[in-house]
Amino acid sequence: MTIAAGLQPDQRPERWDNHVRLYEEVFEPLSLAFARRAIARLEPRPGMRVLDVAAGPGAAALALAEGGVAVTAIDGSSGMTERLRRRAEAAGSGVEARTMDGLRLAFPDAAFDAALSVFGVVLFPDAARGLAEMRRVVRPGGSVALVTWTEPERYELAAALRAAIDSLGPAPPPAGPLPAQLRFAAPEAFERLFTEAGFGEVAIETAEAELHAPSALWLADRIRFAPGMDAWLSGLGDREAAAIAALVARLEREHGRGPLRLKAVASIGVGRGTGAGRDPKSPKLDSAT
């Protein structure tokens, strides 16, 4: 089958090429807070080989490397990979950055001691297949950690934007499919993802973090930090400016005109594989193009 058909903006790696700077500036600090919790669950040690899948501009990979871990970071967006490579070189880090399809990892079985993906694999068109690939390339007994959204109503930025749009009255944007990043918001759905990917042992926990911004206006000027957010706003047509103004007004009313600290909640799942190679229950890896 062709997996490119019907993808949402956030699921198209090439779309992320246009959001590298804003993503790094606005969202990466929040994702890193969750990433650090996931990294701790991997119990990294100097000399370990760790794979970061859908690594974005590289905050988690660089944090791992600071502890002496040998990190390989891959992303489907060449823009993200190039930014990660430049940052790694500037930091004198040994992170290897490669542009690669996360559904077809170009590594042999058991090539790594552990693997990580922060809001990455959960966006894949076939997330179970992507996670099965991560399990395949991790040694027997090694851990794989994922971060995904949960309790979306407690992601204050998205909730505030939704409320701002609703406050404009009739003619809301057409309802579409559930955003890909929310497919595993329910803990049972997240656990099932690990099971479908062939993991025999799964632990899930909830973590809270905050998105920091100097002001509501600063955040509004940078609100298009991801393809999905960009598409959501563009879909408003001539209502977009009013929605942004309503968002600023709402945030300033609730938090003042100074720095913002907007809460967010995510699930961290850690699976331990039963061995390298593909599990019979895992998706077949030769059925997509």
Side-chain angles (χ1 to χ4, degrees):
M1 64 180 178
T2 301
I3 62 174
L7 298 188
Q8 297 175 18
D10 283 342
Q11 294 182 293
R12 296 180 177 275
E14 72 281 1
R15 294 282 292 269
W16 287 93
D17 291 347
N18 299 322
H19 298 271
V20 177
R21 181 185 64 81
L22 286 180
Y23 182 90
E24 181 180 337
E25 185 177 15
V26 178
F27 189 77
E28 187 182 66
L30 173 62
S31 70
L32 179 58
F34 291 124
R36 290 191 185 280
R37 293 281 294 271
I39 288 170
R41 299 300 176 264
L42 296 178
E43 301 181 349
R45 300 179 302 280
M48 278 183 63
R49 304 159 301 162
V50 178
L51 175 66
D52 186 358
V53 174
L62 293 170
L64 268 166
E66 289 174 357
V69 174
V71 183
T72 298
I74 70 111
D75 199 283
S77 162
S78 59
M80 288 289 188
T81 304
E82 180 55 33
R83 175 57 182 156
L84 196 164
R85 187 176 294 114
R86 291 198 304 270
R87 294 174 77 185
E89 291 174 353
S93 167
V95 173
E96 179 188 10
R98 299 174 62 178
T99 302
M100 188 181 298
D101 182 356
L103 293 176
R104 295 181 181 277
L105 296 176
F107 304 109
D109 293 355
F112 299 94
D113 298 301
L116 170 75
S117 184
V118 181
F119 301 120
V121 163
V122 294
L123 280 174
F124 286 6
D126 188 341
R129 173 178 166 178
L131 183 52
E133 274 289 84
M134 293 176 72
R135 187 186 68 82
R136 177 183 66 79
V137 302
V138 168
R139 64 172 174 79
S143 295
V144 175
L146 300 187
V147 178
T148 192
W149 290 116
T150 189
E151 301 181 50
E153 69 279 3
R154 294 178 62 194
Y155 179 20
E156 286 192 276
L157 174 58
L161 180 56
R162 177 75 268 174
I165 294 171
D166 290 344
S167 73
L168 301 180
L178 182 72
Q181 54 264 60
L182 297 182
R183 290 177 298 171
F184 309 106
E188 58 271 22
F190 197 33
E191 183 173 358
R192 188 163 56 249
L193 171 63
F194 280 88
T195 301
E196 291 175 356
F199 287 89
E201 180 183 335
V202 183
I204 295 174
E205 64 179 87
T206 300
E208 296 186 10
E210 294 179 328
L211 187 154
H212 294 184
S215 69
L217 281 172
W218 180 95
L219 185 56
D221 286 342
R222 297 160 175 80
I223 197 68
R224 296 174 178 273
F225 57 82
M229 190 73 81
D230 190 2
W232 190 12
L233 291 168
S234 296
L236 296 174
D238 57 9
R239 293 158 48 94
E240 179 182 337
I244 295 296
L247 171 65
V248 171
R250 183 181 187 86
L251 291 175
E252 289 185 343
R253 185 170 61 250
E254 296 179 353
H255 301 276
R257 296 192 174 186
L260 303 178
R261 300 167 68 93
L262 304 178
K263 292 184 178 1
V265 184
S267 285
I268 299 171
V270 180
R272 193 176 300 277
T274 55
R278 301 185 178 94
D279 190 275
K281 294 181 293 183
S282 298
K284 294 181 179 180
L285 303 184
D286 59 357
S287 59
T289 58

